[in-house]
Amino acid sequence: MAWNGEEYQARFDRIAAEGGDVHGEAVLVRALKPSSVLDAGCGTGRVAIELARHGIDVVGADLDPSMLATARQLAPEITWHLGDLAYLDLGRSFDVVVMAGNVPLFTPPGTEPALVAGVAAHVRPGGRLVAGFSLDRGYTLDAYDAHCAAAGLTLERRCATWSREPYDGGAYAVSVHRRP
């Protein structure tokens, strides 16, 4: 799938200009009080840029060159990596790795375990993997939880939204998994 970073960013700029909240993911991540975050599947950098604005050491990674070009234009001071998250090796770990924007749904079917393992490898001991995605596209919470468990992570909390409303079996979930 090819993206147009400028068009994607323009959509969020319009939402923000109309008074919409475009920083729910960053607010949830900030509540975990990390000093370092990997924004995995960062797109145009919306989440990473907001976290950096609050003094958090952030690195972004994405597979799409157009999305990263926009991110680099918006925040050249942030480190941005081009690459497949399943094979990403940044040589460091983070307090939080966040996958916002349905990231697990954009990986080719059958590669979800590799995606989760790839990003989980960047979660430091005691750190967390936070992911939010729709549940109506074939990737279930049971499968995601199993992939997290295989990567050494345990479920800490699950919410229905990035604003932390309780999960009650709906079509969207935000999961927080922790590395012991």
Side-chain angles (χ1 to χ4, degrees):
M1 170 177 263
W3 294 87
N4 181 309
E6 290 181 13
E7 287 178 9
Y8 184 85
Q9 183 61 38
R11 177 176 160 248
F12 283 99
D13 290 346
R14 276 192 305 277
I15 293 168
E18 294 168 359
D21 179 12
V22 296
H23 296 302
E25 300 97 329
V27 170
L28 186 149
V29 170
R30 284 183 31 234
L32 300 173
K33 302 197 182 311
S35 60
S36 62
V37 173
L38 170 59
D39 185 357
C42 64
T44 60
R46 177 178 52 86
V47 176
I49 293 166
E50 179 65 9
L51 292 171
R53 195 173 73 79
H54 289 275
I56 298 170
D57 173 28
V58 182
V59 172
D62 202 283
L63 184 59
D64 190 275
S66 175
M67 298 288 250
L68 281 180
T70 300
R72 287 182 177 117
Q73 181 181 18
L74 293 172
E77 69 282 4
I78 294 176
T79 301
W80 306 103
H81 292 277
L82 176 66
D84 187 327
L85 298 175
Y87 305 103
L88 191 66
D89 182 2
L90 299 178
R92 66 175 282 199
S93 59
F94 298 83
D95 296 328
V96 173
V97 174
V98 61
M99 290 193 293
N102 286 311
V103 170
L105 304 181
F106 294 111
T107 192
T111 64
E112 297 91 350
L115 167 74
V116 173
V119 297
H122 292 85
V123 177
R124 72 160 179 79
R128 296 173 177 100
L129 171 61
V130 182
F133 57 93
S134 295
L135 302 173
D136 57 357
R137 299 187 201 171
Y139 190 39
T140 67
L141 286 177
D142 287 342
Y144 180 67
D145 288 344
H147 299 151
C148 286
L153 305 175
T154 58
L155 181 64
E156 180 178 90
R157 169 173 51 164
R158 180 158 287 135
C159 306
T161 66
W162 289 97
S163 58
R164 296 175 267 180
E165 292 153 9
Y167 180 73
D168 62 1
Y172 190 88
V174 177
S175 303
V176 179
H177 286 79
R178 181 185 274 278
R179 181 172 304 286

